[in-house]
Amino acid sequence: MEKSPDQSVRQGYQLWIALIPLVVGGFILLFYLQDNFSETDALAFWHQRALIVGGLGAAMLAAMLHVLFVLFRSQRREQAANERLRRHRDQLKAAQRIAGLGSWEIELATMHVDGSEELFRIFEIATPTNDRASYQDVLARVHPEDRAAVDAALNESINERHPVSVRHRLLLPDGRIKYILECCEAEFGPDGTPLRAIGTAQDITQQQQTEAQMHLLASAVQYSGEAILITDADNKIITVNPAFTSLTGYSAEEAIGRNPGFLSAGRTTREEYQWMWNDINEHGFWQGEIWDRRKDGAVYPKWMSISLIRDDEGNVRYHVAHFTDVSSERAAEERLHHIAHHDMLTGLLNRFSLKERLEQALAVARREGTRIALMFIDLDRFKVINDTLGHHVGDLLLIEVARRLRETVRDSDVVARLGGDEFVVMLSRVEHGSTVALVAEKLVESVGRPCQINGHDLYTTPSIGIALFPTDGDDGEILMKNADAAMYHAKMEGRNNFQFFDAKMNDAALERMRIESDLRLALAREEFCLHFQPVINLSTGRVAGLEALVRWQHPEKGLLPPSRFIGVAEETGLIQPLGEWVFWAACRQMLAFTRAGLSGFRMGINISAVQMRNGNLPKLLDQAVESLGIRPADLVFEITESVAMEQPAETVRVLDILHGMGVSIAIDDFGTGYSSLSYLRMFPINNLKLDRSFVEEIGQETDGSVICDATIGLAHNLGLTVVAEGVETQAQLDYLRSRGCDLVQGYLFSRPIPADEAEAFIRARNS
């Protein structure tokens, strides 16, 4: 039966009405399950629902809803991805802020810098709206002295195609300095063209400041004249300073990790140690005298102070001990040590001890950068004497030769007998080849003198071979071998002479001998003269003094500075008459300045170690006062730190006399040696002269500025005047003035000049 139109319409409406809940329900279901449905699954789902309802209209609706579903799910996924990206960016920003680490990227074609917020915060540049700045704007924040290095690092990364890191400073508009560590590398296109450079910048200012402070504290310990050791809560050594090594003989490596008890000589009783620890634990401090043993076996008493360092909870963290040797006594055990390590016939060190001493000396020389000379000595014609007159006479001759060898060298030098007629002399802390040549020359002369033994006039001469560390060998075995080879060369050269393993050293030795010969004549011919270097008062700008400096007017070589002949003069003993000549010449010139109407300054005169040892300076001063009418108050005697510490007790005695007579005393080259502060307080000194080696390091990345500051502070705390030597630049002068330095001298003001020029200089300055 055929349907009417009205029935068809009603049936269509009924179909659509039935389809709506189905579609809505399916759409809601797919909304919650969309992440688990593929597009194919969704299409099948709508098609299935359309078949259930039936009809072309339903199929079209299903297709339309499927398209809406795909678009909706894509939008949802994009929103989720954007949210994840935002979270990642926020996390990256937070991580960079916490680490103080900024990132950047340079587009090499335009040199535009895309930087993170943390990068612009570190450089203290306002963040651009597009996080992009020009390379030159960023580079402008870099300290002017570091810009070239930063730019070079970037170019190196590009040109060498490898990552590069560089430390540099930022100079901010308000004058602050930041320290930055930057790392970078370049990216390249398929054709090898550099496209961009990417990198990081980390603010390490706090780390740099901490390192500087730690370095300052370490320097204070490093340069202390007193031995210092620090132990942990378990009393295990964690650090020692060079003075500890110098005093005990133990290197840091040998001491660290050990209980300080290994230094004990065994003379301090258990009860005494118990009393010591009771004081330390109850009061946090102890000082007293105990006996210790050096590495070489020498027993000595030391004055020691121990302090506790506790943490915030009151628990012991460290023990700090500092001590000095207060005696050179040695215990009875030293005699046993002597027997085990010395030649029974001559009393010299034996082969075993020589090897031990040589290795110790080499270790010190490597650490301190000094030189060692090894002299291999063989006696000429000894075998003939021994075979002709017998072993007894031969033994007596060896004993006499050993005595002469020992007397010819310093106490600190090593003399050993290897066996038979072979001897070895080891010279430590050698400064010049000429010093070795002088010692060798003395040995040839001493051993070559005739010997009266059992009624016989015996003559033997030495053939000496010399090898130097490190030029002729870097270990003991090679040095011995090369010294032996040089000794045979001496025998081939006619015996009774010395030869260096290095031919150049022979030339230097001959030059030294020529200088010595000329020097002896120069004193008789009065070829010396004085030049004077002004000392300037920083507060007034006036000349406060003159330092008298000797010059040698050599008839062939012209005007020679002290560095060319003072060393030879000291080695040959000519420094004594030369020093006296300088003293009298300086006094006469000071008198001439006074008579010319100049006043208000003092004459500085350098005093040698020989003059201090002789102790005749007070007598010389008395003679000058009596014969010239010189005023002691117009003189400043300058002695070097090392001279002052050679025989500190005798130095104190002589300086006390001079100071009582009215002479001012200055310690010259201060900071280059290891002064004991206890002796420094005892010396009646007025001035400390800061060595030029520290002044010239001002402004450099070294310890020079630290030592200058420490010396000025120390001197002023002791009530002393500070004189800085070797001031050559305005920057050095400004720095010293800012630190409160009192007096300066150097080429910035004047070189050492003759007396007439010095007079004119004083008149110009002090008028």
Side-chain angles (χ1 to χ4, degrees):
M1 182 174 177
E2 187 174 334
K3 297 179 182 178
S4 67
D6 291 337
Q7 289 177 328
S8 297
V9 172
R10 284 196 300 270
Q11 288 179 349
Y13 285 140
Q14 291 173 352
L15 177 63
W16 284 106
I17 292 171
L19 182 62
I20 288 172
L22 180 64
V23 172
V24 171
F27 190 77
I28 292 173
L29 178 63
L30 284 179
F31 175 82
Y32 287 105
L33 298 179
Q34 60 179 310
D35 289 336
N36 297 321
F37 271 67
S38 66
E39 293 183 10
T40 303
D41 293 337
L43 182 61
F45 177 90
W46 295 120
H47 181 68
Q48 187 179 41
R49 295 303 178 271
L51 291 177
I52 293 174
V53 178
L56 178 61
M60 291 175 63
L61 179 61
M64 180 183 66
L65 290 175
H66 173 70
V67 171
L68 291 175
F69 162 76
V70 172
L71 292 175
F72 181 76
R73 186 172 65 174
S74 297
Q75 183 179 17
R76 287 257 309 172
R77 286 180 175 176
E78 183 178 355
Q79 290 174 344
N82 289 337
E83 178 63 22
R84 287 194 299 272
L85 180 59
R86 185 190 63 78
R87 287 200 305 269
H88 289 162
R89 286 177 175 172
D90 290 344
Q91 290 171 353
L92 179 59
K93 289 179 181 179
Q96 289 193 358
R97 175 178 50 79
I98 294 170
L101 182 70
S103 61
W104 52 262
E105 177 179 315
I106 300 176
E107 184 180 281
L108 297 178
T110 62
M111 294 306 288
H112 285 153
V113 180
D114 290 319
S116 66
E117 288 184 8
E118 185 63 18
L119 175 76
F120 294 116
R121 189 196 67 78
I122 291 173
F123 277 70
E124 299 191 19
I125 298 174
T127 305
T129 54
N130 58 353
D131 293 337
R132 168 171 286 200
S134 74
Y135 175 68
Q136 290 302 323
D137 288 343
V138 176
L139 191 63
R141 275 288 197 263
V142 176
H143 196 287
E145 296 176 1
D146 297 346
R147 287 174 190 165
V150 172
D151 201 46
L154 175 63
N155 291 327
E156 179 183 346
S157 175
I158 297 171
N159 298 332
E160 302 297 331
R161 294 179 175 245
H162 63 70
V164 172
S165 63
V166 60
R167 283 174 177 248
H168 67 84
R169 295 164 293 173
L170 298 182
L171 179 59
L172 302 176
D174 59 3
R176 285 180 296 120
I177 297 291
K178 283 187 178 181
Y179 291 86
I180 306 297
L181 173 63
E182 294 210 53
C183 303
C184 71
E185 63 180 33
E187 292 184 353
F188 301 86
D191 60 351
T193 301
L195 302 177
R196 65 187 60 85
I198 60 174
T200 60
Q202 185 175 16
D203 185 348
I204 59 171
T205 303
Q206 185 62 43
Q207 173 188 340
Q208 187 78 15
Q209 293 172 345
T210 301
E211 290 177 355
Q213 184 178 19
M214 293 301 294
H215 187 66
L216 175 61
L217 295 176
S219 295
V221 174
Q222 182 82 0
Y223 293 101
S224 172
E226 294 188 343
I228 297 176
L229 68 83
I230 302 176
T231 66
D232 59 17
D234 297 324
N235 205 29
K236 300 295 184 183
I237 296 175
I238 58 176
T239 188
V240 298
N241 70 343
F244 170 92
T245 298
S246 177
L247 178 57
T248 68
Y250 288 96
S251 66
E253 292 77 10
E254 294 170 319
I256 291 175
R258 303 175 69 177
N259 187 294
F262 81 93
L263 296 170
S264 173
R267 291 190 177 188
T268 306
T269 65
R270 184 184 300 272
E271 290 77 14
E272 289 172 325
Y273 276 124
Q274 186 62 48
W275 294 335
M276 179 185 78
W277 282 109
N278 285 341
D279 276 355
I280 293 173
N281 293 325
E282 290 179 11
H283 307 294
F285 177 78
W286 175 89
Q287 66 178 359
E289 183 177 304
I290 63 174
W291 286 83
D292 270 5
R293 188 190 306 277
R294 293 187 178 90
K295 184 178 179 180
D296 64 4
V299 175
Y300 67 102
K302 69 179 184 183
W303 184 262
M304 180 168 67
S305 300
I306 301 176
S307 303
L308 284 185
I309 297 179
R310 301 180 184 272
D311 59 20
D312 295 338
E313 286 74 33
N315 300 317
V316 175
R317 292 293 305 275
Y318 306 106
H319 308 85
V320 179
H322 54 93
F323 53 91
T324 57
D325 184 0
V326 294
S327 176
S328 59
E329 294 181 21
R330 296 185 178 271
E333 296 87 8
E334 191 173 291
R335 176 58 184 163
L336 298 176
H337 183 274
H338 179 89
I339 294 173
H341 290 78
H342 291 74
D343 174 57
M344 294 298 294
L345 176 65
T346 63
L348 300 177
L349 294 177
N350 57 23
R351 183 186 294 270
F352 171 79
S353 293
L354 173 64
K355 181 180 179 181
E356 187 177 69
R357 294 287 187 91
L358 180 56
E359 291 304 320
Q360 292 174 0
L362 287 172
V364 173
R366 293 188 188 101
R367 183 170 62 251
E368 299 182 354
T370 56
R371 295 197 290 179
I372 293 173
L374 200 65
M375 310 173 75
F376 199 105
I377 303 171
D378 185 87
L379 300 181
D380 305 326
R381 299 180 63 254
F382 176 78
K383 187 176 185 302
V384 175
I385 296 173
N386 202 46
D387 293 345
T388 303
L389 300 178
H391 294 292
H392 176 65
V393 174
D395 287 346
L396 293 177
L397 177 59
L398 292 175
I399 293 172
E400 175 62 18
V401 169
R403 184 188 66 81
R404 296 183 182 185
L405 293 177
R406 183 70 270 172
E407 289 182 349
T408 304
V409 299
R410 301 170 299 181
D411 291 341
S412 60
D413 296 326
V414 173
V415 181
R417 181 188 176 211
L418 300 184
D421 62 340
E422 294 181 338
F423 298 85
V424 170
V425 173
M426 183 184 73
L427 309 180
S428 57
R429 299 181 184 275
V430 173
E431 294 184 1
H432 307 288
S434 61
T435 304
V436 182
L438 174 64
V439 175
E441 183 182 357
K442 289 181 178 179
L443 291 174
V444 170
E445 188 276 330
S446 177
V447 175
R449 294 198 308 267
C451 300
Q452 294 287 334
I453 297 178
N454 286 357
H456 300 283
D457 288 332
L458 303 181
Y459 295 87
T460 185
T461 55
S463 293
I464 304 176
I466 305 171
L468 298 178
F469 169 87
T471 54
D472 299 332
D474 57 2
D475 62 43
E477 184 177 348
I478 294 176
L479 284 174
M480 288 290 291
K481 176 183 176 182
N482 290 340
D484 188 35
M487 183 272 294
Y488 278 105
H489 180 58
K491 284 190 175 294
M492 289 187 294
E493 291 296 317
R495 305 174 187 270
N496 193 28
N497 71 92
F498 62 90
Q499 296 290 324
F500 284 91
F501 182 73
D502 183 352
K504 293 181 180 178
M505 296 302 295
N506 273 321
D507 297 336
L510 293 175
E511 174 65 14
R512 191 212 63 80
M513 293 174 66
R514 284 192 291 267
I515 290 177
E516 178 188 346
S517 177
D518 291 347
L519 196 58
R520 294 183 185 277
L521 295 174
L523 280 168
R525 295 173 178 172
E526 296 186 354
E527 294 175 354
F528 296 100
C529 64
L530 291 183
H531 282 193
F532 305 88
Q533 186 170 41
V535 179
I536 307 300
N537 186 316
L538 279 183
S539 63
T540 65
R542 296 168 63 88
V543 176
L546 296 174
E547 182 179 1
L549 299 168
V550 65
R551 298 290 187 266
W552 180 5
Q553 189 63 56
H554 194 281
E556 297 174 1
K557 300 178 181 178
L559 194 66
L560 300 181
S563 59
R564 292 287 301 276
F565 59 91
I566 288 296
V568 177
E570 290 175 339
E571 295 162 2
T572 58
L574 295 174
I575 194 65
Q576 176 68 24
L578 179 58
E580 291 189 9
W581 182 91
V582 170
F583 170 82
W584 284 105
C587 288
R588 291 189 186 97
Q589 187 58 58
M590 187 62 188
L591 183 60
F593 284 143
T594 302
R595 289 175 175 173
L598 300 180
S599 62
F601 64 93
R602 293 175 175 175
M603 178 69 71
I605 303 174
N606 291 288
I607 305 300
S608 70
V610 174
Q611 289 173 292
M612 285 301 301
R613 286 195 297 267
N614 288 347
N616 68 338
L617 287 172
K619 183 178 179 181
L620 274 179
L621 182 59
D622 268 335
Q623 293 173 351
V625 171
E626 182 177 350
S627 61
L628 300 177
I630 194 79
R631 293 195 322 141
D634 290 338
L635 302 179
V636 179
F637 283 177
E638 300 184 7
I639 61 173
T640 64
E641 185 180 15
S642 57
V643 168
M645 295 308 300
E646 273 191 6
Q647 296 177 336
E650 177 64 10
T651 300
V652 170
R653 186 189 70 82
V654 174
L655 295 185
D656 276 339
I657 297 173
L658 294 171
H659 191 265
M661 298 173 70
V663 173
S664 294
I665 307 298
I667 297 295
D668 200 5
D669 299 340
F670 185 77
T672 59
Y674 289 95
S675 292
S676 168
L677 292 181
S678 59
Y679 275 113
L680 192 61
R681 291 195 303 268
M682 294 172 62
F683 292 149
I685 57 179
N686 307 94
N687 301 343
L688 281 186
K689 300 196 73 174
L690 185 61
D691 186 68
R692 67 180 62 248
S693 61
F694 301 123
V695 173
E696 69 184 8
E697 292 179 355
I698 290 175
Q700 303 178 15
E701 295 182 357
T702 61
D703 294 332
S705 298
V706 174
I707 296 174
C708 288
D709 293 352
T711 301
I712 294 172
L714 171 65
H716 287 167
N717 287 334
L718 294 175
L720 305 178
T721 298
V722 181
V723 185
E725 298 181 296
V727 178
E728 298 184 359
T729 67
Q730 186 64 39
Q732 293 169 352
L733 179 65
D734 293 341
Y735 183 92
L736 292 167
R737 180 181 281 113
S738 71
R739 295 305 189 270
C741 184
D742 305 298
L743 307 174
V744 294
Q745 65 183 101
Y747 286 2
L748 182 62
F749 297 96
S750 173
R751 294 173 176 268
I753 52 180
D756 56 344
E757 295 181 28
E759 179 178 345
F761 185 92
I762 295 172
R763 293 189 186 280
R765 275 272 178 175
N766 293 5
S767 58

